[in-house]
Amino acid sequence: MKKRLLSVAAAAFFGVMLNAQQIKFEEYDLPNGMHVILHQDNTAPVVTTAVMYHVGGKDEIKGRTGFAHFFEHLLFEGTPNIKRGDWFKIVSSNGGQNNANTSMDRTYYYETFPSNNEQLGLWMEAERLRHAEINQIGVDTQREVVKEEKRLRMDNQPYGNLFNTIQQNLFTNHPYHGSVIGSIEDLNGAKLDEFKAFYKKYYVPNNATLVVAGDIKPEQTKKWISEYYGSIPKGTVTPKNFPKDAPITKEKEVTATDANIQLPAYIFAYRTPSNKDRDAYVLDMLSSYLSSGKSSVLYKKLVDQDKKALQVAAFNQGMEDYSIFAFFAIPMGATTKQVLQADIDAEIKKVQTTLISDEDYQKLQNQYENQFVNTNSSIQGIASSLATNHVLMGDTNLINKEIDIYKSITKQDLQNAAKKYLNSNQRVIINYVPEKK
């Protein structure tokens, strides 16, 4: 009885949290096509100004990869009104912080300032969009920065190129077969005019979403937005009509090498639907059931009990056009790939033929409710969610509705998704092994 009372209390607590978590926002378009989202929260004196551009690694052309990520670095070089090297100094000296990141689908920049510097954040992002400096010294400088990043994060990092290897082998026609960081050879070969053309093509207001979240006065914020962004000319946005990949109907096995590893890794990768698809949510939840935490089925069996794997995971990487569901395992001792494959396949078979337990299902639901609350517990998190939901998901209000999608997923849905997407004839097996000396 005591446990039951605690469960009810916990449910009531989560109910209060989720109701309080409703994120109010206002959105509109400027005449030049820039989408604006405002979220007012006056509980803390901070404001995040963020801009998401609908350009990522998939938008690049063959022979000129890495541009989207390169611009994430290049566009901190300065503008006619911000001297080269001053961007980060301005932010830090005014009590702020900033960063940027790039994916295959988009590029995202943000500044968070004390709310008395809201106008500064809006001005800086408008400067970046209106007339960023694209010159040879900036290109040469940031090219070296990107080279060092690639060396540190990928080329000299154990398993650093593993995800790129998955993309290369899971996609053939669609540009997801590339990588976010791209090719240094391509960046070395690119001329200054090509970088200027990329900026002109993608860094236009009608390819951008501006989010201002936090301690704002909406009417004043709108005036500043109109002043700083309204006169930036509209650009020409090319429709995203990428080639499709035919369904995988026959299991494929490939081998890749890595000079930085001593133990092999085995990957079993499946191409799955866009993260806009409801099944993407189901697969996300299924990956958590299989390998999230030490009590998950794969960890408990292969790592904890049988000691066959040093590490094991199932992950779901959602993207705008397709997603990736993959199993990853590093063997322990003399365990063979065949043994790991058989055990992973056995767990897949279980979820395809047997509904998960009520206890495991409730644990998943609790986990996603907690995750939902945590994701939007900060102004920076809210700004990122609002931008992502508009640009990549096509529905800004998913910031409030997404938890309802997860709550609607049934045990039968989990089983159906496993049956539909996780069959051996639909996968690529990657043997990621040490490079022979």
Side-chain angles (χ1 to χ4, degrees):
M1 177 59 73
K2 188 175 180 182
K3 277 189 178 179
R4 174 66 185 148
L5 288 172
L6 284 173
S7 296
V8 170
F13 170 75
F14 266 117
V16 170
M17 287 294 288
L18 291 173
N19 287 331
Q21 193 69 13
Q22 285 289 312
I23 307 297
K24 293 182 180 179
F25 61 89
E26 176 184 356
E27 56 186 335
Y28 62 95
D29 288 332
L30 295 177
N32 59 15
M34 187 173 206
H35 192 71
V36 178
I37 305 171
L38 304 180
H39 165 66
Q40 182 180 8
D41 181 347
N42 304 117
T43 55
V46 294
V47 174
T48 292
T49 299
V51 183
M52 184 172 285
Y53 295 90
H54 202 178
V55 56
K58 71 180 181 188
D59 294 285
E60 298 153 357
I61 60 173
K62 188 175 181 180
R64 287 296 179 262
T65 60
F67 272 47
H69 170 259
F70 190 74
F71 267 76
E72 174 200 318
H73 293 267
L74 186 63
L75 294 194
F76 285 101
E77 278 287 307
T79 74
N81 299 310
I82 300 174
K83 289 182 183 177
R84 184 169 182 270
D86 277 4
W87 192 287
F88 295 100
K89 292 178 188 175
I90 293 170
V91 172
S92 60
S93 65
N94 284 278
Q97 55 178 261
N98 67 308
N99 214 330
N101 53 72
T102 312
S103 75
M104 292 301 289
D105 297 312
R106 91 297 178 274
T107 309
Y108 183 67
Y109 303 84
Y110 71 88
E111 285 81 27
T112 299
F113 280 113
S115 51
N116 61 346
N117 279 323
E118 174 193 350
Q119 187 177 5
L120 177 61
L122 285 165
W123 174 77
M124 291 183 80
E125 284 303 330
E127 282 286 296
R128 193 198 310 272
L129 173 57
R130 184 184 294 275
H131 47 204
E133 292 278 16
I134 312 292
N135 55 36
Q136 197 62 53
I137 188 171
V139 167
D140 292 342
T141 301
Q142 296 307 324
R143 190 187 283 128
E144 294 307 309
V145 172
V146 172
K147 284 180 183 177
E148 184 62 16
E149 181 182 354
K150 189 173 187 294
R151 282 191 288 266
L152 286 173
R153 291 177 53 192
M154 302 171 77
D155 297 342
N156 297 328
Q157 181 81 16
Y159 309 100
N161 283 298
L162 190 146
F163 191 74
N164 289 346
T165 304
I166 294 174
Q167 290 177 270
Q168 288 163 12
N169 288 284
L170 209 52
F171 300 98
T172 303
N173 298 318
H174 192 282
Y176 282 160
H177 61 67
S179 69
V180 172
I181 206 160
S183 160
I184 296 301
E185 290 73 26
D186 290 351
L187 292 174
N188 281 339
K191 306 298 182 190
L192 182 61
D193 284 349
E194 294 177 86
F195 292 107
K196 289 181 176 179
F198 189 90
Y199 177 72
K200 184 178 180 181
K201 181 175 182 179
Y202 292 109
Y203 282 82
V204 293
N206 44 323
N207 196 45
T209 292
L210 168 68
V211 179
V212 189
D215 184 24
I216 65 173
K217 296 175 181 175
E219 292 311 310
Q220 175 61 71
T221 300
K222 288 177 186 177
K223 288 178 184 176
W224 284 329
I225 290 171
S226 177
E227 178 184 349
Y228 294 137
Y229 297 87
S231 63
I232 300 175
K234 189 174 190 174
T236 301
V237 176
T238 307
K240 293 180 182 289
N241 187 23
F242 299 110
K244 304 283 192 296
D245 270 306
I248 298 170
T249 57
K250 185 179 180 182
E251 185 177 83
K252 181 174 84 167
E253 187 163 353
V254 299
T255 297
T257 60
D258 187 331
N260 303 306
I261 63 175
Q262 296 179 321
L263 296 173
Y266 303 111
I267 300 97
F268 308 90
Y270 305 77
R271 193 194 311 138
T272 52
S274 157
N275 58 6
K276 296 178 186 177
D277 195 298
R278 184 176 182 274
D279 278 352
Y281 292 91
V282 181
L283 288 162
D284 189 45
M285 190 172 270
L286 186 59
S287 73
S288 294
Y289 166 72
L290 288 165
S291 77
S292 181
K294 293 187 176 181
S295 63
S296 61
V297 293
L298 282 174
Y299 185 93
K300 198 158 52 177
K301 177 173 175 53
L302 291 175
V303 178
D304 195 23
Q305 294 176 4
D306 296 352
K307 309 263 188 302
K308 292 177 180 177
L310 187 67
Q311 192 175 338
V312 66
F315 66 87
N316 183 66
Q317 178 65 46
M319 297 185 288
E320 186 178 19
D321 301 331
Y322 293 101
S323 299
I324 296 171
F325 192 103
F327 295 90
F328 164 87
I330 298 176
M332 175 79 83
T335 306
T336 65
K337 185 199 88 170
Q338 288 72 25
V339 168
L340 291 174
Q341 182 175 333
D343 283 344
I344 288 171
D345 282 349
E347 293 304 327
I348 294 172
K349 193 70 176 173
K350 277 185 191 175
V351 293
Q352 288 175 332
T353 56
T354 308
L355 295 177
I356 69 172
S357 70
D358 289 342
E359 182 182 358
D360 284 333
Y361 176 73
Q362 191 56 54
K363 186 171 79 170
L364 279 174
Q365 289 291 343
N366 294 344
Q367 178 183 331
Y368 277 87
E369 286 187 356
N370 186 51
Q371 180 179 300
F372 172 75
V373 171
N374 288 337
T375 298
N376 298 318
S377 62
S378 71
I379 290 299
Q380 284 184 4
I382 289 169
S384 177
S385 292
L386 288 167
T388 299
N389 288 331
H390 172 72
V391 175
L392 301 184
M393 308 296 284
D395 183 359
T396 312
N397 199 38
L398 275 173
I399 197 167
N400 294 311
K401 298 188 299 185
E402 194 169 55
I403 188 60
D404 295 326
I405 298 173
Y406 283 113
K407 287 166 78 172
S408 75
I409 294 170
T410 66
K411 293 189 288 182
Q412 188 67 58
D413 289 331
L414 296 170
Q415 185 184 70
N416 291 342
K419 285 181 181 178
K420 184 174 182 180
Y421 300 107
L422 304 185
N423 298 301
S424 59
N425 67 311
Q426 296 170 297
R427 71 186 175 192
V428 176
I429 298 174
I430 300 171
N431 305 311
Y432 195 85
V433 299
E435 188 177 289
K436 291 180 180 178
K437 304 296 183 185

